[in-house]
Amino acid sequence: TTGMRVLVVGAGPSGLSAAYQLARASDAATTGMSAPLAARTLRVALPIYRLPREVLDAEIARVLDLVALTDHADARVANLSGGQVSRVSLAAALVGTPELLVLDEPTVGLDPVLRRDLWAIFRRLATDGVTLLISSHVMDEAVRCDRLLLMRAGHMLADDTLDGVLALTGSPDVEHAFLALVDRAEGAAA
């Protein structure tokens, strides 16, 4: 994605209350590529979440532990693997314990072990009460979500559980369901 504008109850990002903290895992979290992981990359998130300086070190340790990067706390981001860099971005998004986490294709292109581990983290976050909004064109990511909002060209095609979408379309899997919904929408528009 190239950009995002956030409006929550009519307020832009600078006007969000603590109850509506928003985190976005993105490449922006890794802009300090030559800096030590803890010292630069995660500290970038401090002003966003307005955390007091005295809790910053504990917060960085917490998020590094959550994404299993504690052993790499002092590594330079440029020396990390692609999967570890993805976890740095996720860690930056988790600073401040957001109630809403927006993830754009969070596991696309990652190896199967890392994908499994990240989805376990996402499930744990959801269990702990964090709302995750995951945007992806990859159906194998979609089936891991509790609820699906299927869209095409800016139009909502379905808003349901996976079982509901499959039942609605009579399809064997979510990819075929999506295609059936697209065909229906295009047929209705013709």
Side-chain angles (χ1 to χ4, degrees):
T1 52
T2 57
M4 174 161 66
R5 181 172 175 197
V6 178
L7 292 176
V8 178
V9 193
S14 63
L16 294 179
S17 69
Y20 290 98
Q21 293 180 45
L22 176 71
R24 182 170 182 255
S26 71
D27 293 335
T30 56
T31 55
M33 293 296 276
S34 64
L37 184 73
R40 169 76 173 99
T41 307
L42 294 181
R43 288 182 192 276
V44 167
L46 176 64
I48 297 169
Y49 300 106
R50 299 181 183 140
L51 292 175
R53 287 237 176 248
E54 58 272 10
V55 300
L56 179 61
D57 289 337
E59 184 63 6
I60 288 172
R62 181 187 73 80
V63 298
L64 286 175
D65 183 58
L66 184 64
V67 299
L69 283 176
T70 303
D71 292 343
H72 301 287
D74 295 321
R76 296 193 181 281
V77 176
N79 296 336
L80 298 176
S81 70
Q84 290 168 330
V85 171
S86 293
R87 287 187 281 155
V88 171
S89 291
L90 179 58
L94 293 172
V95 170
T97 314
E99 293 178 12
L100 172 64
L101 187 60
V102 179
L103 301 167
D104 184 28
E105 300 182 341
T107 65
V108 171
L110 300 179
D111 72 76
V113 174
L114 181 56
R115 292 183 79 219
R116 177 199 62 200
D117 294 349
L118 286 175
W119 279 104
I121 292 170
F122 302 155
R123 181 57 56 196
R124 188 172 353 132
L125 290 167
T127 299
D128 290 345
V130 176
T131 299
L132 288 93
L133 177 61
I134 297 172
S135 169
S136 183
H137 69 284
V138 179
M139 293 298 132
D140 131 294
E141 285 193 330
V143 299
R144 296 172 184 257
C145 299
D146 295 333
R147 188 153 197 90
L148 304 178
L149 303 174
L150 299 177
M151 299 181 71
R152 172 80 174 164
H155 298 284
M156 182 77 66
L157 301 175
D159 174 0
D160 207 337
T161 62
L162 174 60
D163 289 341
V165 169
L166 296 177
L168 173 70
T169 61
S171 299
D173 58 55
V174 72
E175 186 166 336
H176 286 96
F178 177 74
L179 293 172
L181 291 166
V182 168
D183 290 344
R184 284 183 194 173
E186 289 175 355

